[in-house]
């Protein structure tokens, strides 16, 4: 049996029922590879701006957050009895940078809801930002700007 050191960070919402656990094995860090336990994800990784052929953690975070945010908008739109446009999309930008406290992230989400009224779009996006687990995880931790086009 291996010796293990466990670090636990607390402070988030208490989960009473786990719905899904994503399991991914990473080797080599930013110049390595990632493979999920079920084999559905198998990608090469490379540092942003490098000549490497893989993606990077910032792109993966942007993709995950965007997909989750659209899911949160769908959830909240159904509750509000608003039909989301078929062309609903999110363009996400995640910056890796440095500041007074070392390395940091910041993000911009451009939410596209063509055909909704300004009030409908505002209500759906605000509700999604309160519902989306990625938004919850980033809240008060990184600078986030959300813009909406209708």
């Amino acid at each position: 049996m291996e010796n293990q050191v466990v670090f636990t960070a607390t402070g988030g919402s208490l989960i009473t029922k786990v719905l899904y656990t994503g399991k991914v094995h990473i080797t080599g860090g930013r110049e390595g590879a990632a493979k999920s336990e079920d084999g559905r994800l198998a990608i090469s990784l490379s540092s942003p701006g490098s000549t490497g052929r893989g993606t990077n953690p910032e792109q993966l975070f942007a993709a995950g957050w965007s997909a989750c945010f659209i899911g949160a908008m769908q959830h909240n739109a159904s509750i509000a009895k608003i039909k989301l446009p078929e062309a609903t999309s999110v363009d996400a930008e995640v910056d890796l940078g440095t500041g007074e406290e070392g390395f940091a992230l910041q993000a911009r989400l451009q939410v596209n809801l063509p055909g909704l009224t300004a009030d409908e779009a505002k209500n759906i996006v605000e509700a999604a930002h309160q519902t989306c687990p990625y938004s919850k995880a980033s809240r008060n931790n990184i600078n986030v700007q959300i813009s909406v086009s209708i």
Side-chain angles (χ1 to χ4, degrees), residues 2-24:
E2 292 182 36
N3 291 331
Q4 289 189 354
V5 177
V6 177
F7 296 90
T8 304
T10 58
S13 298
L14 177 64
I15 292 179
T16 57
K17 180 181 178 183
V18 173
L19 301 174
Y20 174 76
T21 300
K23 297 180 181 181
V24 179

Side-chain angles (χ1 to χ4, degrees), residues 2 7 26-27 30 41-42 49-50 57-58 65 67 69 72 75 81 91 102 110-111 114 117 120 125 130 139 149:
E2 292 182 36
F7 296 90
I26 308 293
T27 57
R30 286 184 172 270
L41 174 73
S50 73
E58 291 72 30
W65 193 353
F69 201 86
H75 172 79
K81 303 213 182 321
D91 297 300
Q110 173 60 54
V111 180
T117 68
E120 289 172 330
V125 169
Q130 296 303 313
R139 188 171 293 116
S149 295

Side-chain angles (χ1 to χ4, degrees), residues 28-51:
R30 286 184 172 270
E31 300 296 330
K35 183 174 182 181
S36 64
E37 183 180 69
D38 63 7
R40 296 174 81 180
L41 174 73
I43 57 172
S44 297
L45 301 170
S46 59
S47 293
S50 73
T51 59

Side-chain angles (χ1 to χ4, degrees), residues 102-118:
F103 292 107
L105 297 175
Q106 64 184 19
R108 290 169 302 285
L109 301 180
Q110 173 60 54
V111 180
N112 305 297
L113 296 168
L116 291 188
T117 68

